[in-house]
Amino acid sequence: MTVSLDQLRRCHVAVDLGAARTRVYVKGLGLVVDEPSVAAVNTRTGSLIAVGALAEQMTGRTPGYIRVARPVSGGTVVDIDMAQRMLRHLLGEKLRRQLRRKPRLRAAACTPHESDPLAQRATVETLVGLGARRVELVDTLIAAAVGSGMPVEQPTATMIMVCGAATTQIAVLSLGSIVTAVRVPVGGEAIDHAVIQYLRQHHQLMLPSQSVRPLQLALSGNGLTPGGPAVTEIHGRDVATGLARTVAVDTAAVRQAIHAPLMAVHDGLGKVLRACPPDLVADIADSGIVLVGGSALLPGLDQMLRDATGVPVRIAERPDVCAVLGLGAMLDGTVQPMVLDPLAG
């Protein structure tokens, strides 16, 4: 790990700023915030109207003077000021007062694999603006592996796939470090967009706002697998007339529509396996691949990867919060490093 466990144990709060959701873990209190990374602003006065779930419900439903902003994109803070304001309101006055009592408040944050220095600095400045005196950055892949209960510190290979809203990160870990990893710019949003485009082109149907998960509507049950429902009814707005309309969509055609973004994920998986030493690949054949992240719950994704690679694939117990729970475990000191005593020369 780039940051030692001793440094992380001194931290008081852990933050996972994701493109879809923001999560905050406070030492001694557990997971205190799990809300969408959305804020609604009054453009006339500059005041914040709503954050989190309420702001997400406003998407596509606001008058002209209200702007719905997403200050985080692809795990990177793109609007520091808005991210700070959003975090302040998500934490609440009572919890902020409690954190301000810490003489030297330390924070830990997840950062995407191989994020550039500017993205890392934006994350640090966001938390410094909330009162943190020191910010430790931890790779999302390592935090998610710890949170999913994988034996990260052992000299055996563990393979993890973090399926986020904007990106998919795939890595092989051993001895607490990343052996090889790749970041694919395809996530749940790209898959949703592929479904929306298919419905618009082939059925002249526009779906409701982004707050509705079109993929979950289109792929109810085991939609990605051949054994799923053959036809699914979708409600939306007709492109030509603007009237409400319901169409029966062939699920097999939807599977074909999302094939392109999923193939990019599959190619990234193959790239990681090809760059991995043979001994570690043998370990992965036994231990398999663990899926974490909100998009890991995509119906049939695990089965598709299982068929493509021939390797066991399982979804973590709480895939959406694995990263922040892994950071929390490091803060609480429940992760024990493997001690390597130097041999006497």
Side-chain angles (χ1 to χ4, degrees):
M1 297 182 191
T2 53
V3 183
S4 72
L5 288 174
D6 286 334
Q7 288 174 304
L8 289 171
R9 287 193 192 104
R10 298 192 191 105
C11 295
H12 307 99
V13 60
V15 180
D16 178 16
L17 284 167
R21 298 184 77 86
T22 292
R23 300 176 178 94
V24 180
Y25 183 103
V26 176
K27 198 172 188 175
L29 296 177
L31 189 63
V32 295
V33 173
D34 184 3
E35 292 279 343
S37 305
V38 189
V41 187
N42 186 329
T43 55
R44 293 174 182 169
T45 62
S47 60
L48 210 59
I49 296 172
V51 294
L54 181 58
E56 190 175 49
Q57 288 174 11
M58 294 181 180
T59 306
R61 298 183 173 93
T62 59
Y65 66 91
I66 295 178
R67 178 173 66 95
V68 177
R70 293 182 176 268
V72 185
S73 175
T76 301
V77 178
V78 293
D79 187 340
I80 296 174
D81 179 58
M82 188 59 67
Q84 288 175 352
R85 295 173 70 186
M86 180 186 74
L87 270 173
R88 281 194 199 100
H89 283 78
L90 288 176
L91 285 170
E93 182 60 35
K94 183 180 176 183
L95 188 55
R96 288 209 314 274
R97 240 186 350 254
Q98 188 176 338
L99 291 174
R100 276 200 298 265
R101 292 195 194 107
K102 308 287 184 187
R104 284 187 60 83
L105 180 64
R106 288 174 174 242
C110 292
T111 55
H113 180 66
E114 288 185 346
S115 57
D116 58 84
L118 282 176
Q120 294 179 9
R121 183 170 179 176
T123 303
V124 171
E125 286 188 10
T126 301
L127 297 181
V128 167
L130 292 173
R133 297 294 186 88
R134 186 181 173 98
V135 179
E136 308 289 359
L137 299 179
V138 179
D139 198 302
T140 303
L141 290 163
I142 294 177
V146 171
S148 62
M150 297 168 71
V152 180
E153 297 293 336
Q154 299 302 313
T156 56
T158 51
M159 190 167 193
I160 188 166
M161 181 184 289
V162 180
C163 308
T167 59
T168 299
Q169 302 173 67
I170 310 163
V172 174
L173 310 175
S174 181
L175 285 173
S177 297
I178 296 172
V179 178
T180 178
V182 70
R183 191 165 140 200
V184 183
V186 171
E189 291 173 355
I191 295 170
D192 287 352
H193 182 69
V195 175
I196 292 170
Q197 288 297 103
Y198 167 79
L199 292 173
R200 189 183 180 108
Q201 290 171 6
H202 293 84
H203 296 277
Q204 288 72 52
L205 191 75
M206 290 180 67
L207 287 181
S209 67
Q210 298 172 3
S211 61
V212 179
R213 286 282 292 176
L215 195 60
Q216 292 177 1
L217 291 172
L219 302 176
S220 56
N222 295 317
L224 275 180
T225 58
V231 177
T232 304
E233 283 195 346
I234 303 289
H235 309 284
R237 191 183 78 185
D238 191 280
V239 173
T241 64
L243 300 175
R245 188 159 65 94
T246 301
V247 297
V249 178
D250 182 15
T251 315
V254 176
R255 281 203 303 273
Q256 191 62 33
I258 65 175
H259 183 69
L262 287 179
M263 278 308 296
V265 174
H266 178 249
D267 291 344
L269 190 63
K271 185 178 178 182
V272 169
L273 287 172
R274 286 193 297 273
C276 194
D279 291 341
L280 296 183
V281 174
D283 290 343
I284 294 166
D286 295 331
S287 60
I289 305 168
V290 177
L291 302 183
V292 301
S295 301
L297 299 172
L298 187 68
L301 176 62
D302 53 340
Q303 185 61 48
M304 189 205 78
L305 293 174
R306 201 176 291 121
D307 295 340
T309 60
V311 172
V313 179
R314 68 178 177 87
I315 301 173
E317 189 176 343
R318 297 178 65 188
D320 50 342
V321 294
C322 275
V324 73
L325 290 182
L327 268 183
M330 296 178 199
L331 265 61
D332 293 336
T334 57
V335 181
Q336 296 300 324
M338 183 177 178
V339 179
L340 297 174
D341 293 326
L343 299 174

